[in-house]
Amino acid sequence: MNAPLPDVPEVRVVGLPQLTTGFDLVERLDLSMHLKVHGPLEPVTGERLAQLAEAISLRGRGGAGFPFGQKLRAVAKAAIRRGVRPVVVVNGSEGEPPCRKDTVMLNRAPHLILDGALLAAEALGARTLIVGVTRNSTEASIRAALAERGLSDRPTRRGNQLRARVVRTPERMVSGEASSLIRAVNGGPALPPGRRERASEAGVGGLPTLLSNAETFAQLAVAARIGTERYGNTGLPGEPGTVLLTISGAVARPMVVEVPTGVPLRYVLQLAGAPPLPQGVLTGGYHGNWIDAVSAHGAVISRESFSSVGGALGAGAILPIGPETCPLGEAQRVANWLAAETAGQCGPCRLGLPAAAGGLSDVLNGGGQAALEALREVMQAVRGRGACKHPDGSVRFFMSTLSAFTDDLAAHVLAGGCGRETTGVLPLPAPGYEEEGIPTGEKIAVDWTLCKGHGLCADIVPELIRLGPDGYPALADAAVPMHLQGRAQRAVSRCPALALRIEAAPPERPARPALPRSDRKALGSGQG
């Protein structure tokens, strides 16, 4: 199995750097080096900043792609209408295993992110800046950057009324959602609140809140320095500038690459050492879509191009897989992880995703057409009914997998398998990263010589155990999440036949290490 991606993988650039300027000089740009490389930045009024964002078609780079200028105007209007000062939040909570672009920026160019956030805060008249992070390295880097600017949670300089603080969230898929971060900042758990609220109206402390992804603020700072005309000279006319991508999966050199829009996807994959003819390319990460080798060959780096071939730019994660691995087996590993990432707050997430992961396992293990139809029914039941974006994003991944690998699906359904092992090229977290609500590394096991099919276990913990057509329990392949550990133990203790037990999940079989740790030389290679 692949090693997890390091916090800061190798960084490369295609063409002239904008976000990654100076990466060839130092490992991390402190404030002094940042100013030498990028120069000073003058304040911009709110209207001019909104016009700037609209002129460069700046959209959020965290996955949703919402127009930044529209968000900025909405926060300003809400603050004026209510007569309050808004809050600015940088979302650097990157909890998805194949995503590292924001982590790279927070570690290596934190001041470029702060430049954009402080521009927005000044333009809006905000007095509070919050940066959400998930990792030790990003927390240390951003705290150091705030200290270099003399910023803290209390005013420390005469005339400086801005208060800035860092909020640490668990390294989880659901913790990176905007509503989860706001809930964490407000003192609650880093989980979606289960209700739809606009941060621009009521976010941190109930105040209008401008929340955007770390790369988005860095792009804003670049555009404010070089102007719209020069910014627009790079990339496509409709999507100007550069984007940051995290390339992993079946590649020789996992990396974060800064690339202008319009560059062929095949060139970026070749740069990372992907297979010449990949079986498929997962675009947009684990809430994204698969595209085939032909589509990958013709696509260019842009939202529009990816969408036209059924892909998604999303948070900028690109993951090719080679012909040697079973694509459905790869999807099963991710499906188990997605199921364990449930926030546990609604039925589609708490019950549906484990059921879908179990259904995919049934298909892989020879369940035939009946198992495939059951899986499709589960996905249809989950779709569009979740309290947050995690169920829909996960179902999108499931459905894309089934439609992208039809030959492999037919082999599993009709012939009992495709004949290939699962080599584990899609990165997942290493054991021991767990926070509340994610896998414990334990699984429920059943002794079939004792089981009498009473079904009490399925009533107690339906997220992990469901009754099959024969009335006997069918167990999820996913590890027991932390938040279900108590109920799993209760199911074991209440089994009348003493047929259940909790045991350590078996380690996955190692495969070739396609995701090596980067070293100091790689970190300093910058523009190589």
Side-chain angles (χ1 to χ4, degrees), residues 41-54 68-69 72-73 76 80 115-126 210 220 224:
L41 183 60
E42 297 297 324
V44 180
T45 64
E47 180 58 29
R48 285 186 57 198
L49 195 63
Q51 291 174 354
L52 171 67
E54 291 165 350
F68 184 84
L72 187 68
R73 291 182 189 277
I80 292 170
D115 276 350
L118 292 171
L119 267 181
E122 178 73 17
L124 291 169
L210 177 69
L220 185 69

Side-chain angles (χ1 to χ4, degrees), residues 505-520:
E508 298 188 63
R509 183 167 50 247
R512 59 185 181 84
L515 292 176
R517 296 270 179 181
S518 62
D519 54 20
R520 301 280 292 189

Side-chain angles (χ1 to χ4, degrees), residues 194-217:
R195 58 186 182 276
R196 309 281 182 174
E197 291 184 347
R198 291 185 178 180
S200 59
E201 291 289 336
V204 174
L207 297 171
T209 300
L210 177 69
L211 184 148
S212 202
N213 161 266
E215 184 196 340
T216 313
F217 284 110

Side-chain angles (χ1 to χ4, degrees), residues 194-271:
R195 58 186 182 276
R196 309 281 182 174
E197 291 184 347
R198 291 185 178 180
S200 59
E201 291 289 336
V204 174
L207 297 171
T209 300
L210 177 69
L211 184 148
S212 202
N213 161 266
E215 184 196 340
T216 313
F217 284 110
Q219 293 282 3
L220 185 69
V222 168
R225 277 187 169 89
I226 67 177
T228 57
E229 182 177 354
R230 184 176 163 194
Y231 189 96
N233 288 337
T234 300
L236 298 170
E239 297 181 44
T242 65
V243 297
L244 289 175
L245 303 173
T246 311
I247 315 297
S248 64
V251 297
R253 305 170 65 187
M255 62 178 61
V256 167
V257 58
E258 182 182 8
V259 56
T261 55
V263 169
L265 173 59
R266 64 180 181 274
Y267 179 79
V268 177
L269 294 175
Q270 181 182 5
L271 184 68

Side-chain angles (χ1 to χ4, degrees), residues 342-488:
T342 171
Q345 300 183 131
C346 70
C349 195
R350 185 170 60 88
L351 302 175
L353 295 187
L360 181 57
S361 177
D362 291 345
V363 172
L364 285 172
N365 293 326
Q369 189 66 33
L372 179 58
E373 292 305 319
L375 172 58
R376 286 177 170 153
E377 287 179 9
V378 170
M379 292 190 299
Q380 194 62 35
V382 171
R383 191 177 186 182
R385 296 178 56 231
C388 71
K389 298 176 182 177
H390 184 53
D392 277 357
S394 300
V395 166
R396 186 183 306 116
F397 172 80
F398 278 90
M399 297 180 72
S400 177
T401 299
L402 296 185
S403 61
F405 303 106
T406 53
D407 290 345
D408 296 271
L409 184 62
H412 280 276
V413 170
L414 302 176
C418 65
R420 287 174 291 181
E421 293 186 358
T422 300
T423 57
V425 296
L426 299 182
L428 290 172
Y433 85 110
E434 290 91 349
E435 298 279 355
E436 182 182 358
I438 60 179
T440 60
E442 297 177 333
K443 295 181 69 173
I444 293 180
V446 60
D447 185 339
W448 297 110
T449 64
L450 298 175
C451 182
K452 304 299 182 184
H454 292 99
L456 289 178
C457 54
D459 291 336
I460 296 172
V461 61
E463 299 91 338
L464 300 175
I465 306 173
R466 68 187 193 283
L467 295 183
D470 58 359
Y472 281 81
L475 306 182
D477 283 343
V480 177
M482 289 282 188
H483 71 280
L484 295 180
Q485 194 173 36
R487 280 198 283 147

Side-chain angles (χ1 to χ4, degrees), residues 290-365:
W290 291 96
I291 60 176
D292 59 30
V294 175
S295 298
H297 184 80
V300 301
I301 304 299
S302 81
R303 293 181 184 276
E304 183 179 354
S305 178
F306 276 32
S307 178
S308 69
V309 295
L313 187 58
I318 309 293
L319 302 102
I321 60 171
E324 72 285 348
T325 191
C326 171
L328 299 183
E330 293 288 345
Q332 178 71 69
R333 295 175 62 249
V334 175
N336 291 341
W337 181 80
L338 288 171
E341 285 292 285
T342 171
Q345 300 183 131
C346 70
C349 195
R350 185 170 60 88
L351 302 175
L353 295 187
L360 181 57
S361 177
D362 291 345
V363 172
L364 285 172
N365 293 326

